[in-house]
Every structure is written in C-alpha cells, then in structure tokens.
C-alpha cells in the first residue's frame, strides 16, 4: 500500500497544526459557528444528534494493521470502544469531544492517517473495488490511479468550496464493485481499439434526493491526462453548478440542465487550455504510484490441490462450507482466496465493529493476510490474500469474535446508514429496521435459497445507505413527525446500474418485517428456478409486488 | 487610508472600493464589471468580479488591467478561486485581490490560485491573518504559486 514520504507527512502534520489553531480560535470565540463549520467538516467533524461524529478517511479502503490497532486504541481512548464502517469505505467515531479532535488527528497522522475532506463541499475520499489487485476479473489495478487522485484532490486550492460535495470512484474490473455509476465522477479502466489501457469517464451520477445514473462523457482517456481532465470537469462544475439551492447543487443537476453534450463541450473547452500542462502525469509519476501496489510475497501453490483440499473440508462441515461459499471468493493467485469478514451479525448495528474485534482481526490479518485489511462500501471488512489452506483455521478464529456470519451478498448483509439513532440529518431510524429484518429472516437456509439480494437502508433522502441502488431499497421518511419507510425495488449498483422504483405508500416501522416477507414471498412464487431477485423483478415488473404487499392493507 | 495585505505585508491602499451606485467612478476607483465595460480606456484600470461574472469579459484586456478584485460576498462561494486561477493561467500579471467576506483560513488556497492581495471587510483581521499565510509549506498539486505538481518535483 501507499507509504508516506517526508512531504506527505509534512502536509498532514501541518494540517493538524492548522486545525488545532482553528479549534482553539473557535473555542475562544474568534471564529463564528458559521465560519468554523466548513473548517471542521473538511477535517471530518460533524455535529450529530447526540455528539460530534468524526469521519476518518480510509483512502480507497486500504488499512494496515498498525492503523487498525490505532483506530481500536482511539475508539477506547476518545470514544465508546467501537467504530462504524461507512458506505464510502471510511471509518466513523460517534462520540468524540470537539476539543479533543486535534489530538485524535495528531494520533492518526502518526500512522499516516487523517480525516481530510471526509465531509464538506469538496472532493471527498476516492473509493474503489475492495478486491482491487486480487480480483480475477481485473483489467488493471485501480489503486495507483486512486492514490494519484488522492494527492491531487488533497487541499486542492481551487476546489475546496464547491457548490456541494464531490465524490469520485474508480473501477478496474469486469464487474463494478465500486458503484461508479452512482458517483459525481466514475472512472473505469478500459482498453481502446489498440488494446491500450485508459479511462472511461462518467459524470453526473449520484443518489440523494434526485438519483441519477452517470453519463459517459469520454469513452477513452489516456491515463496521463487523468488529472487535467478531472480539473476541467471540476472547473466547469465550480463555476456553473447551482449554489442557490443545496438540493440542486450536485453536478448531476448541472449535467442534466446543460445536457450531456453541452456539458462535455464545456469540459473539452476548459481542458483544451490545460491539456498537456504541468499536471499531465509523467511515466515516472504513474510508475511511482504503481510501485506501492505490488504483490505481497505470495507462495507458489498448487491451485487445483488447494481447491480439492478445501472442497474436502467443506464436505465435512456444512457450516464452514456455507461460510466459504458466501464469504470467500476466487483470487487471482493460485491457492489463495479473498475473505469478506461480515459486520452484519444479527443484533448488531450493520457496519459497527468493537475495539477488541479490530485488534483481534488485526492479529489475524498479520497471521493470514500480509497485515492488510480493507473496508468495503457494503460496510464489511476484507482480508484479501488468505491461503485456501488457512481458511479453516481463520474461520475457527473468527467465530468466537462474532465475525464469521456467512451472509455476504445475501438478505441480511444489509447496507445501512447510522440513521436517526445518531445522525442529525436523518428523518427516521435505520438500524432498528435492519435489526428487525435480520431477526425475522434468521433461517439461513431460507436466506441462501433466496439467492443474492442487496437490501439498502437510508434514514433520509441524503441516501448514505444507497437505497436507490439496492435490489430492495428502504428509505426513512418523516410524515407529520412520525417515522415511516418507503420501499423501492429493482435498483442495482452494478454495471447494469438502475435506480429502484417506488413500490407505493410508505409503511410504519413495525410493519417492515411483514412487508419484506410479502415482497420475498412474491419473488419466491414468481421466480423461475434459480433466478435472482433482480432478474425476476426485471422480468415481471413492479405490479405483482405492489398487488401482494398492498392487498391485505386495503 | 484603507489597508490590505499585499505580497505578505500590510500596506496602505490607494484604490477606492467598488460602488455600483456611481455613474462616474473616480479614476482610482475599482469599477464594477458593468462600469468597467463602459470605460473607453482600460489601461491602468481596476475591475471587480462578482460570483457569476466569469473571467471571459476581461480576457481581451489582460495586459491593460492593473487590479482585479475578486469579491466574496460570502466565504462559502468558491467561484472566485477559479476566476483567480484562470486569469493567471491566461497570462494576467497585475494584482488580484480577494475582497469581501472570505476568511483567513482560506488564505493558503487564495494565494495558491494567484491572489496576491487580501482586503478584509474588517481591517482588524489583517494582522492576525498574516499567520495563516504560513499554514502550509508543501503542496501536492500544481497551482499558480507552484506550477509544478509534487509528482514532477519528487526525487
């Protein structure tokens, strides 16, 4: 993974000193609430319902175990002993004290971490595929590009006061695991006719109040032009994005208002002025970035033999077999598999992990996966490089930690924002809905039989739980002071991205498990053989679901 | 005499602030964009850009203009950052002053995009603001103060 040099460290240290001074001036009354707001936001600090929330950046989801242990220590020292993995691969602390945040940031800087631009109207943390570098379907590793974008976007002087937040995701594989179509800018690594690798550029995607699938504005861009092209897009957005209404301020609204062709033309015009300028990436810069994302010292293993041994172990132990099938996936290198550690055990808020679990998992990562842990936008953790022969030992060690729930990609592996329990923006709670659904569907045989289903829950229109792109999306809404839940069906975050369609009038919280049951019953009665929920939905449409769910309520 | 920070020190300012109620602004007055556009002779002139004005109208006269004041009616509106940088990229060499309600915590960014003068609505803020010019000593990306991005400068 990327390692700071003296300059990276200096920049981050200077930022901590700057924010320490800003916090002191705020506490002394020299900075107004209004002035301090964007400063603290751009250092990750929100003021939430019950306490501040600090969102710590995990650049493209990569952590070493030293950093993981630091997060565990910080959560004990400055918080309540647990942290939350966000839907943009970041880590959130829910109870830090505002005056102590500069100390927390200094501790983070000591392990090459920060909370820079995790909030505010600026370029946020760049996200990517959690299986970058290890996925068999990968064209090329997206992480060097992510790191170059991280450096370019960190304290970018022109784009720190944009009309609204700005999110970039990069994907380098056949299947999109980074939801690039739901980002302000999505970059996909692709080959052109000549077989050269370049970037397909999407712009204007986003969720929130007006969900939009991103539009292609450039089919193939040579990698050396990446930063100047991004700069041109941002410049068009910074000057022309709406600032009069925060709900219409995202780039998706601008792209729509101008039309994709006019937007592209405006970008090309800005780009012409800076193309081939100093921000053009050099061969050296690309090679230097790539040099941090090389293979760990893999052993040369007999893949076929490893698969046979694993199959034998699985045939002896159905529970282990379930876990291997759901929570591990094929690796590029023979004899290795990638493990997803589920943070979706029933009875715990989705995405939460305790200090002790973090520390134990860090030990396991050191022992089994080259000392690296990744965060996922589905709010789980990944040990990317585990020998197949070690899976059984690892699984046995994960079980007592409560980290062996075998549900990745299935109904109970829900994406869920912190919701009204924590977040000041939320209209409704989301965690209790997730927990009630997990509790209702506790028969794992039934859950496995349903096949993969993405259930995404957001507590408000800001859509941190990405409800629009869940196969089943749930949105908390406020109806005259009461918490209600709207359901949408048919969303997808994959390359066949789609925005879910609203099923009908919203439901009370206590009715949600019944509603889910009716939706799933409808699916089971209509599915053809092994058909997935999404395929069935796309074949039969929303009407059968609507009839069934609302039939008895009438 | 009003004061401002210019090239890192506090000095007196000879320019009168923009005033859109004047029909005939003084020769040492900063003009609003429409006043300035009506000026027959642009040499040595000073013009103020408001958010939304864009730099386009100035581009033909970049060598004539002495001062461009980039106004910030509120500090959250970041359009002025692009204006300053674009003017410099197009070759403007005169003064670019930030005026209005920006805050000292934005001085690093403003200097980096090419502002060399800072005039706060409240002059008592000038002295303490000098320290904010020293917040950072290194940067990743290319800008006006450092046209080479870090990746071209790393050994």
């Amino acid at each position: 993974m990327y390692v700071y040099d003296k300059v990276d460290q200096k920049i981050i240290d200077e930022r901590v000193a700057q924010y320490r001074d800003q916090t002191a001036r705020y506490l002394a009354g020299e900075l107004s609430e209004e002035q301090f707001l964007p400063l603290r936001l751009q250092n990750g600090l929100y003021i939430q319902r019950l306490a501040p929330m600090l969102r710590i950046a995990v650049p493209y989801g990569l952590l070493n175990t030293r950093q993981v242990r630091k997060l565990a220590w910080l959560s004990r020292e400055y918080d309540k002993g647990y942290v939350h993995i966000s839907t943009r691969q970041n880590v959130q602390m829910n109870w830090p004290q505002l005056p102590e945040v500069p100390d927390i940031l200094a501790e983070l800087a000591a392990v090459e971490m920060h909370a820079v631009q995790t909030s505010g109207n600026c370029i946020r943390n760049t996200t990517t595929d959690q299986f970058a570098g290890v996925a068999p379907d990968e064209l090329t590793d997206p992480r060097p590009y992510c790191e170059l974008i991280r450096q370019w976007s960190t304290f970018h002087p022109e784009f720190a006061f944009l009309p609204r937040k700005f999110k970039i995701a990069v994907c380098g594989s056949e299947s999109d695991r980074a939801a690039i179509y739901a980002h302000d800018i999505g970059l996909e690594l692709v080959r052109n006719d000549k077989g050269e690798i370049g970037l397909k550029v999407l712009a204007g995607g986003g969720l929130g109040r007006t969900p939009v699938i991103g539009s292609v504005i450039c089919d193939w861009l040579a990698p050396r032009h990446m930063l100047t092209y991004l700069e041109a897009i941002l410049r068009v957005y910074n000057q022309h994005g709406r600032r009069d209404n925060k709900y219409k301020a995202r780039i998706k609204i601008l792209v729509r208002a101008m039309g994709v062709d006019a937007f592209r033309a405006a970008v090309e015009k800005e780009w012409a002025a800076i193309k081939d300028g100093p921000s053009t990436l050099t061969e050296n810069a690309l090679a230097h970035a790539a040099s941090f994302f090389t293979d760990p010292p893999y052993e040369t293993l007999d893949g076929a033999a490893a698969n046979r041994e694993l199959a034998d172990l699985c045939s002896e132990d159905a529970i282990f077999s379930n876990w291997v099938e759901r929570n591990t996936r094929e690796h590029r290198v023979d004899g290795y598999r990638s493990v997803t550690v589920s943070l979706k055990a029933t009875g715990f808020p989705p995405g939460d992990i305790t200090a002790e679990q973090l520390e134990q998992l860090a030990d396991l990562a050191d022992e089994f996966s080259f000392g690296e842990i990744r965060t996922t936008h589905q709010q789980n953790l990944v040990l990317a490089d585990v020998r197949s022969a070690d899976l059984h030992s690892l699984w046995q060690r994960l079980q007592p930690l409560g980290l062996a729930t075998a549900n990745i990609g299935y109904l109970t592996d829900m994406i869920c924002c912190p919701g009204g329990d924590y977040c000041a923006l939320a209209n409704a709670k989301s965690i209790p809905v997730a927990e009630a659904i997990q509790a209702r569907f506790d028969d794992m045989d039934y859950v496995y039989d349903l096949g993969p289903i993405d259930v995404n829950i957001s507590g408000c229109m800001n859509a941190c739980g990405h409800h629009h792109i869940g196969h089943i999306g749930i949105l908390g809404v406020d109806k005259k002071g009461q918490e209600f839940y709207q359901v949408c069906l048919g969303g997808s975050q994959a390359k066949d991205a789609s925005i879910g369609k609203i099923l009908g009038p919203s439901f009370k919280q206590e009715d949600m498990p019944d509603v889910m049951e009716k939706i799933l019953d409808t699916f089971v009665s209509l599915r053809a053989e092994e058909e997935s929920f999404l395929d069935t939905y796309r074949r039969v449409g929303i009407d059968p679901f609507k009839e069934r769910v609302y039939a008895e309520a009438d | 005499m009003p004061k401002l920070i210019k090239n890192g020190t506090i000095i007196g300012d000879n320019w009168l602030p923009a005033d859109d109620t004047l029909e005939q602004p003084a020769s040492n007055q900063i003009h609003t964009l429409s006043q300035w556009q009506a000026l027959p002779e642009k040499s040595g002139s000073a013009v103020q850009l408001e958010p939304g004005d864009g730099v386009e109208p100035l581009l033909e006269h970049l060598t004539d203009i002495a001062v461009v004041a980039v106004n910030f009616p509120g500090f959250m509106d970041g359009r002025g950052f692009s204006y300053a940088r674009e003017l410099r990229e197009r070759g403007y060499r005169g003064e670019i002053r930030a005026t209005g309600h920006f805050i000292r915590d934005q001085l690093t960014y403003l200097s980096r995009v090419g502002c060399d003068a800072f005039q706060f609505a409240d002059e008592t803020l000038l002295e303490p603001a000098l320290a904010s010019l020293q917040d950072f000593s290194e940067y990743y990306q290319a800008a006006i103060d450092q046209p080479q991005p870090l990746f071209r400068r790393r050994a």
Side-chain angles (χ1 to χ4, degrees):
Chain A
M1 67 188 281
Y2 187 72
V3 180
Y4 281 12
D5 69 9
K6 277 186 194 156
V7 180
D8 297 290
Q9 192 65 51
K10 190 169 194 188
I11 290 173
I12 290 305
D13 290 345
E14 287 177 343
R15 175 60 155 205
V16 174
Q18 183 193 41
Y19 185 65
R20 194 180 287 286
D21 175 60
Q22 289 166 342
T23 302
R25 279 157 47 214
Y26 168 69
L27 293 172
E30 295 166 29
L31 268 174
S32 70
E33 204 68 60
E34 187 204 1
Q35 291 169 332
F36 187 55
L37 177 76
L39 306 179
R40 66 171 164 77
L41 288 177
Q42 298 208 12
N43 284 285
L45 188 66
Y46 281 78
I47 303 296
Q48 292 289 48
R49 187 152 288 189
L50 303 166
M53 180 273 276
L54 182 66
R55 183 181 294 146
I56 298 164
V58 182
Y60 38 94
L62 227 49
L63 291 164
N64 62 39
T65 49
R66 189 167 156 244
Q67 294 171 326
V68 172
R69 290 190 182 92
K70 177 66 92 174
L71 291 172
W73 182 84
L74 284 170
S75 78
R76 280 206 190 89
E77 195 73 17
Y78 293 98
D79 207 304
K80 296 191 176 181
Y82 65 93
V83 301
H84 175 76
I85 310 298
S86 83
T87 51
R88 293 202 75 255
Q89 298 186 285
N90 291 320
V91 169
Q92 297 181 177
M93 289 171 59
N94 281 310
W95 313 91
Q97 297 301 308
L98 186 146
E100 292 183 336
V101 170
D103 295 335
I104 299 175
L105 297 180
E107 291 285 349
L108 288 170
V111 294
E112 304 180 8
M113 291 185 80
H114 57 75
V116 170
Q117 292 169 210
T118 53
S119 177
N121 296 340
C122 52
I123 305 170
R124 305 288 190 87
N125 184 31
T126 299
T127 54
T128 191
D129 179 8
Q130 65 265 32
F131 299 113
V134 300
D137 69 339
E138 186 170 275
L139 176 64
T140 187
D141 193 336
R143 293 172 300 174
Y145 299 92
C146 293
E147 174 56 27
L148 288 163
I149 295 170
R150 181 193 75 80
Q151 297 190 15
W152 163 78
S153 61
T154 298
F155 311 138
H156 196 297
E158 193 179 338
F159 306 130
F161 294 88
L162 295 169
R164 199 78 175 86
K165 58 189 171 182
F166 202 92
K167 301 173 180 181
I168 302 175
V170 190
C171 143
S173 56
E174 197 96 330
S175 42
D176 173 18
R177 286 175 290 267
I180 58 169
Y181 283 84
H183 280 76
D184 296 284
I185 292 178
L187 298 174
E188 182 187 350
L189 289 152
V190 292
R191 282 190 200 280
N192 63 6
D193 300 345
K194 294 180 201 149
E196 300 161 325
I197 286 177
L199 298 149
K200 179 154 117 184
V201 183
L202 311 166
L207 299 175
R209 202 164 281 246
T210 316
V212 183
I213 300 294
S215 308
V216 178
I217 59 160
C218 178
D219 289 314
W220 190 91
L221 180 75
R224 68 178 185 281
H225 295 311
M226 177 173 76
L227 298 183
T228 52
Y229 201 84
L230 290 177
E231 204 140 308
I233 297 175
L234 265 297
R235 188 170 276 179
V236 170
Y237 173 55
N238 190 40
Q239 298 203 38
H240 303 294
R242 284 182 64 171
R243 292 175 185 266
D244 58 330
N245 178 343
K246 82 179 235 192
Y247 300 114
K248 299 195 187 300
R250 296 286 290 271
I251 194 174
K252 61 192 172 190
I253 305 291
L254 178 67
V255 175
R256 256 195 182 175
M258 290 176 77
V260 178
D261 292 332
F263 178 79
R264 184 186 297 114
V267 169
E268 295 281 334
K269 187 174 170 223
E270 287 292 346
W271 189 43
I274 52 176
K275 187 185 176 198
D276 296 317
S279 295
T280 306
L281 288 162
T282 57
E283 286 299 320
N284 270 346
L286 287 160
H288 181 254
S291 72
F292 293 99
F293 304 96
T294 52
D295 282 355
Y298 292 122
E299 290 171 43
T300 309
L301 299 168
D302 179 344
N307 287 343
R308 270 197 310 278
E309 282 162 32
L310 184 62
D312 285 349
L313 274 172
C314 285
S315 67
E316 287 163 24
D317 187 337
I319 301 175
F320 174 61
S321 174
N322 276 333
W323 180 79
V324 169
E325 194 180 330
R326 320 299 164 191
N327 293 39
T328 78
R329 69 194 304 279
E330 212 184 328
H331 195 288
R332 180 169 66 70
V333 177
D334 281 349
Y336 284 85
R337 289 184 77 80
S338 299
V339 172
T340 302
V341 175
S342 173
L343 302 184
K344 311 293 176 62
T346 300
F348 297 91
D352 277 13
I353 182 165
T354 67
E356 191 185 358
Q357 286 173 321
L358 282 171
E359 283 164 350
Q360 302 269 350
L361 196 60
D363 290 347
L364 293 174
D366 281 338
E367 196 175 330
F368 294 109
S369 195
F370 302 101
E372 187 190 278
I373 296 178
R374 304 175 180 201
T375 55
T376 80
H377 86 268
Q378 293 93 344
Q379 303 171 294
N380 293 308
L381 295 175
V382 162
L383 302 177
D385 302 285
V386 181
R387 293 193 315 174
S388 297
D390 289 334
L391 286 174
H392 196 263
S393 317
L394 173 63
W395 173 69
Q396 285 182 315
R397 306 263 295 274
L398 287 170
Q399 278 181 315
L401 301 176
L403 294 174
T405 309
N407 62 352
I408 298 304
Y410 286 77
L411 177 68
T412 52
D413 178 18
M414 284 175 265
I415 292 182
C416 180
C417 73
D421 290 297
Y422 295 100
C423 179
L425 302 173
N427 288 325
K429 294 186 179 69
S430 46
I431 294 169
V433 175
E435 288 182 340
I437 293 169
Q438 284 175 330
R440 171 70 61 91
F441 301 98
D442 60 348
D443 174 358
M444 286 311 280
D445 287 333
Y446 177 70
V447 168
Y448 294 152
D449 184 56
L450 293 173
I453 297 184
D454 293 347
V455 178
N456 295 3
I457 309 176
S458 304
C460 75
M461 274 300 194
N462 289 306
C464 294
H466 302 172
H467 63 277
H468 303 108
I469 51 172
H471 304 157
I472 302 176
I474 299 173
L475 166 67
V477 291
D478 178 275
K479 267 196 190 172
K480 296 176 189 154
Q482 299 269 11
E483 297 185 3
F484 275 75
Y485 297 86
Q486 194 179 72
V487 173
C488 56
L489 300 181
S492 165
Q493 60 166 34
K495 277 194 186 153
D496 61 351
S498 54
I499 301 292
K501 213 168 160 183
I502 294 168
L503 184 63
S506 53
F507 308 97
K508 287 183 191 155
Q509 185 179 320
E510 59 265 32
D511 295 335
M512 283 309 295
D514 288 340
V515 170
M516 282 297 282
E517 195 163 315
K518 285 178 200 160
I519 292 169
L520 294 171
D521 283 349
T522 312
F523 157 57
V524 169
S525 68
L526 293 172
R527 84 194 286 195
E529 295 179 21
E530 296 294 287
E531 200 177 34
S532 72
F533 178 85
L534 188 62
D535 287 341
T536 303
Y537 171 84
R538 284 180 173 169
R539 180 169 56 79
V540 305
I542 202 162
D543 290 341
F545 294 94
K546 209 177 246 180
E547 279 162 25
R548 186 78 164 263
V549 170
Y550 293 102
E552 288 154 60
D554 290 341
Chain B
M1 185 186 271
K3 288 186 195 139
L4 82 177
I5 295 175
K6 177 87 188 269
N7 295 325
T9 50
I10 298 172
I11 59 164
D13 179 32
N14 294 315
W15 292 97
L16 300 174
D19 181 347
D20 62 4
T21 63
L22 298 176
E23 272 187 33
Q24 277 290 332
S27 61
N28 65 333
Q29 188 134 33
I30 297 174
H31 290 57
T32 66
L33 183 59
S34 54
Q35 290 167 346
W36 179 83
Q37 283 173 318
L39 265 185
E41 175 52 57
K42 308 257 192 301
S43 181
S45 62
V47 57
Q48 178 153 311
L49 289 179
E50 299 294 336
D53 285 345
V55 300
E56 203 71 34
L58 310 193
L59 294 181
E60 270 182 44
H61 302 280
L62 291 184
T63 50
D64 300 326
I65 302 170
V67 172
V68 177
V70 175
N71 193 38
F72 290 87
F75 73 100
M76 289 295 288
D77 189 328
R79 280 176 279 190
F81 292 84
S82 285
Y83 297 166
R85 191 165 179 208
E86 280 204 273
L87 287 170
R88 293 296 186 207
E89 282 176 357
R90 304 296 178 98
Y92 175 65
R93 307 278 290 274
E95 176 180 305
I96 300 182
R97 66 169 63 179
T99 62
H101 296 272
F102 61 100
I103 58 176
R104 62 178 268 197
D105 302 278
Q106 296 174 308
L107 288 196
T108 298
Y109 293 152
L110 288 167
S111 323
R112 295 218 66 213
V113 295
C115 293
D116 51 2
F118 307 97
Q119 190 162 44
F120 288 99
D122 173 1
E123 274 190 8
T124 62
L125 300 174
L126 285 173
E127 190 69 43
L130 287 173
S132 292
L133 285 169
Q134 314 299 327
D135 279 352
F136 289 91
S137 60
E138 262 299 351
Y139 312 103
Y140 282 117
Q141 49 311 87
I144 302 307
D145 61 333
Q146 172 48 276
Q148 297 295 313
L150 183 61
F151 64 76
R152 285 181 187 267
R153 293 182 283 119
R154 270 188 165 127

